[in-house]
Amino acid sequence: MVSLTADMSPLHPDRNLALELVRATEAAAIRSVPFIGRGAKEAADGAAVDAMRAFLGTVNFDGVIVIGEGEKDNAPMLFNGEHVGTGRGPQCDVAVDPIDGTSLTAAGRNNALSVIAVSDRGAMLDASSVFYMDKLVTGPAGVGVVDIRLPIGENIRRLAKATGKPVEEIVVSVLHRDRHERLIEEIREAGAGTRLMSDGDVAGGINAARHNARTDICVGVGGSPEGIVTACAIKALGGHIQGRLWPRNDDEKQRGLDAGLKFDDFVYEADDLVKGNNTIFVATGVTDGQLVGGVRREGDHIYTESVVLRGASGTLRRISSEHLTSKWL
């Protein structure tokens, strides 16, 4: 077990590590800028991966990537099981997404992020064998109130009562996918509004959990890795997250069973997705969004905006940085 004071030990991630990790997300975001709006999502992702890997190699921690972008044979992606960091310092599980929203980046749309999350070694659920997860995320008002097993209309009514909002003022974020056609209809039939996301459900989940956010719920089937990453952030926000694995076929379900994952309507709660509160989530904006602004280049300077969320202290910090353009040429 990790106590609230354990993050002061060199065996656990601490606040200094959080600030070091920001350098890696900043680098990934900056390197992806030439590809924004150019329709080349693979090139953008490749540039971000290379930059993130280079900066992670300078960070004093012993990290193992639990959630990456593929297996070792798919290098140069940051692959599952890869060791990162100098090997000195705290032993950590690491989740990376050099660009959460590659399609958003390629199209020049909002809400693309560069993301890293870390926790104590062995704390993150490894759900890599099952690509999709059905998720429900709200802010603190949803804790003990909403439940992913209930119909979405019931959850909307429950959250409206808990927050003191009229149902018609509840806004629900959903990935705009064919699989969500009926879900979107049910949300609107309940009287709530929708915010349809083309990509980037990490940002969608965090925005739903933030204080005074524009959305109240983020729901639907998205990536399993994104669910684990979002859970690391939710720990700092005091919000609510639940997930159910959503295998695409029997073979994928069997791979999940072989890996020890649970199905048949089993609900993963926040502590199942990532154990304890000793979590760090960092993100830098690639393009503008509700959570952070995107990278801007103005003459001799590059401007980035990042957030750092620490579960142990329950804090969200914003970091605005100025970088000399000459250092990135």
Side-chain angles (χ1 to χ4, degrees):
M1 294 291 291
V2 178
S3 71
L4 291 178
T5 58
D7 63 325
M8 300 303 292
S9 162
L11 299 177
H12 301 279
D14 64 11
R15 61 180 62 87
N16 295 322
L17 174 59
L19 296 177
E20 284 295 297
L21 293 173
V22 171
R23 297 170 57 241
T25 56
E26 287 176 343
I30 290 170
R31 288 301 189 196
S32 66
V33 167
F35 305 98
I36 294 175
R38 303 301 176 91
K41 66 179 185 179
E42 291 84 4
D45 199 40
V49 166
D50 290 344
M52 182 173 282
R53 173 178 278 125
F55 274 80
L56 282 176
T58 70
V59 177
N60 283 326
F61 76 134
D62 180 6
V64 174
I65 294 179
V66 175
I67 298 167
E69 293 210 314
E71 302 302 327
K72 186 173 183 179
D73 290 344
N74 293 330
M77 298 301 182
L78 284 155
F79 58 84
N80 301 337
E82 180 175 353
H83 285 260
V84 292
T86 64
R88 301 185 299 273
Q91 296 181 340
C92 301
D93 283 351
V94 184
V96 297
D97 200 342
I99 303 179
D100 176 47
T102 52
S103 296
L104 298 175
T105 303
R109 294 175 178 165
N110 287 355
N111 290 315
L113 302 170
S114 178
V115 173
I116 298 174
V118 303
S119 66
D120 292 317
R121 180 70 54 82
M124 284 186 192
L125 176 70
D126 182 358
S128 57
S129 55
V130 179
F131 190 78
Y132 284 119
M133 178 183 289
D134 187 17
K135 290 166 279 191
L136 172 67
V137 184
T138 74
V143 177
V145 172
V146 299
D147 192 294
I148 197 170
R149 288 161 286 212
L150 295 172
I152 186 60
E154 177 64 19
N155 279 325
I156 289 168
R157 289 186 288 273
R158 287 184 175 208
L159 188 65
K161 182 177 180 181
T163 58
K165 283 185 174 183
V167 166
E168 57 268 25
E169 292 184 11
I170 296 292
V171 178
V172 184
S173 292
V174 189
L175 282 171
H176 196 189
R177 301 289 188 271
D178 290 344
R179 61 179 177 266
H180 291 147
E181 183 176 341
R182 181 56 190 150
L183 175 62
I184 292 167
E185 290 176 359
E186 290 175 352
I187 292 167
R188 292 170 177 170
E189 288 170 359
T194 56
R195 177 159 288 162
L196 302 183
M197 305 178 293
S198 60
D199 205 348
D201 60 336
V202 171
I206 294 172
N207 284 327
R210 289 171 54 214
H211 177 65
N212 287 335
R214 298 176 188 173
T215 55
D216 303 282
I217 306 174
C218 185
V219 66
V221 176
S224 296
E226 287 82 356
I228 312 304
V229 170
T230 303
C232 290
I234 298 305
K235 295 282 182 150
L237 298 170
H240 172 81
I241 182 169
Q242 292 175 308
R244 294 182 293 196
L245 292 171
W246 200 77
R248 292 168 288 183
N249 51 52
D250 290 341
D251 288 342
E252 189 175 52
K253 183 175 181 179
Q254 188 58 55
R255 287 195 297 273
L257 290 170
D258 293 342
L261 300 176
K262 298 179 181 180
F263 300 91
D264 300 323
D265 211 34
F266 180 84
V267 174
Y268 284 90
E269 305 287 347
D271 279 337
D272 299 315
L273 298 173
V274 56
K275 297 182 180 70
N277 290 320
N278 207 25
T279 60
I280 296 171
F281 172 94
V282 300
T284 300
V286 175
T287 59
D288 287 338
Q290 291 184 47
L291 184 62
V292 284
V295 180
R296 293 184 295 115
R297 178 172 175 175
E298 297 180 5
D300 294 334
H301 291 86
I302 297 170
Y303 299 89
T304 59
E305 185 178 1
S306 307
V307 289
V308 176
L309 292 91
R310 292 187 65 238
S313 57
T315 54
L316 184 156
R317 291 183 171 88
R318 295 189 176 275
I319 299 175
S320 297
S321 303
E322 298 181 9
H323 312 261
L324 284 174
T325 305
S326 60
K327 300 295 184 179
W328 292 93
L329 296 178

